Amino acid sequence: MNRDDEQPKHIVRDRLLVIAIFMFSSIVFHLAFEQAGGSMTIFAKNYTQRVLSGEVATIFKWADFALTIVPIVVITGVLLVLAKKIIRKYPLIILFSSISFVIIWSLCLWKVYREYHGMNSEVTVSWFPMLNSFFIITLATSFSKIWERVWNPSGPIKFAMGLTLVGVGFAALAIGSAEIPTGAKTASVSMIWLVLAYFFHTVGELCIGPVGLSYVSKLSPKKFLGLLFGFWFCANAIANFIGGFIGSYIDKITESHSMSFFFAVFTVIPMIAAVFLLLGNKKIKR
């Protein structure tokens, strides 16, 4: 007999309810988080001071070097360790992976050379989303060790932390854009606010992304596992749609209120959801 069939129906029902709560929380998180591809890009393009000069430009070029090279060094090291273990069993996979990484390394070095020796000291808009990948690669291992050795809170607490952190990221943008006049089409806000936002958003993602998938796997009845994983990713698609819909009103909101008000909306919504998770933590755990 299937182990799921042995469980009382009310337990299965309660577990499905917990998954639904986590899915809804994931939607709230990602409708804010995915602003990186919409309103945050507009903010970077039109409202951020991206032209650097002097020592600041030099420091940025070295920071850009680190952001480009460090992640690829880490990934290369991990894959080299893996390659030593499986090269005899899967030689063709190692061969083609090695060719791919030679190409990737060539592109990275070319990019760094071009940026370092280029006369233009303007930070491109496409540079900022790279911060998410950099922070994930550099912080993921630390988070894993913290959960294992220092503090491993319940799922609702981790989700509440993720929602709070994504709200804090938008709070940084709201503070940074507070001086932008209502209806302004351009501004020169320091790019440090965007860097802080990407940092907090990424830390929030590390609290929710892996945790959500883990709990779907643990709580789902085996016969519904594939279906519920599909619903989970469907929830992310819904979040992207809602986030894009809200983000499309950035011009109207900034004209009638302010850019700071627009980002404050994405500060408040996730934090309200986080409060509800904290209040229901005991019931959800039970």
Side-chain angles (χ1 to χ4, degrees), residues 47-222:
Y47 298 93
T48 303
Q49 169 58 27
R50 296 180 288 108
V51 178
L52 307 177
S53 60
E55 292 184 0
V56 176
T58 303
I59 292 172
F60 171 77
K61 289 179 179 179
W62 281 108
D64 182 53
F65 172 84
L67 288 169
T68 304
I69 298 301
V70 170
I72 199 67
V73 168
V74 173
I75 295 174
T76 301
V78 172
L79 291 180
L80 282 174
V81 173
L82 179 62
K84 292 179 181 178
K85 296 180 179 180
I86 66 172
I87 188 168
R88 294 183 179 179
K89 194 173 183 179
Y90 305 105
L92 288 179
I93 292 178
I94 301 304
L95 174 62
F96 287 112
S97 297
S98 300
I99 293 172
S100 299
F101 262 76
V102 168
I103 295 172
I104 291 171
W105 266 103
S106 300
L107 291 173
C108 288
L109 292 174
W110 170 77
K111 183 253 185 189
V112 169
Y113 177 84
R114 185 194 64 179
E115 295 292 336
Y116 189 80
H117 292 279
M119 297 298 294
N120 188 2
S121 297
E122 182 177 355
V123 182
T124 61
V125 174
S126 60
W127 180 84
F128 293 98
M130 182 177 67
L131 293 170
N132 176 248
S133 301
F134 174 78
F135 289 136
I136 285 178
I137 292 172
T138 53
L139 297 175
T141 302
S142 299
F143 264 75
S144 177
K145 290 181 178 179
I146 290 173
W147 299 148
E148 290 178 4
R149 303 176 184 177
V150 181
W151 183 50
N152 189 21
S154 64
I157 297 296
K158 290 178 181 177
F159 266 77
M161 289 171 59
L163 288 163
T164 301
L165 287 165
V166 79
V168 170
F170 279 106
L173 291 176
I175 294 170
S177 59
E179 299 299 323
I180 300 177
T182 300
K185 299 297 182 181
T186 59
S188 297
V189 175
S190 172
M191 56 189 282
I192 189 62
W193 299 108
L194 264 175
V195 175
L196 285 173
Y198 274 102
F199 171 78
F200 285 116
H201 289 183
T202 304
V203 175
E205 184 183 19
L206 289 171
C207 292
I208 283 185
V211 175
L213 292 172
S214 174
Y215 273 93
V216 171
S217 177
K218 291 176 181 177
L219 298 176
S220 298
K222 290 184 179 179

Side-chain angles (χ1 to χ4, degrees), residues 10-26 155-156 159 212 215-216 218-220 228 232 277 280-286:
H10 72 277
I11 292 180
V12 175
R13 181 198 63 209
D14 290 346
R15 289 185 174 187
L16 291 176
L17 179 60
V18 171
I19 293 174
I21 292 172
F22 285 162
M23 283 185 181
F24 179 77
S25 302
S26 178
F159 266 77
Y215 273 93
V216 171
K218 291 176 181 177
L219 298 176
S220 298
L228 289 172
W232 181 265
L277 281 174
N281 177 44
K282 292 183 178 180
K283 290 186 177 179
I284 295 173
K285 283 172 63 179
R286 186 170 66 249

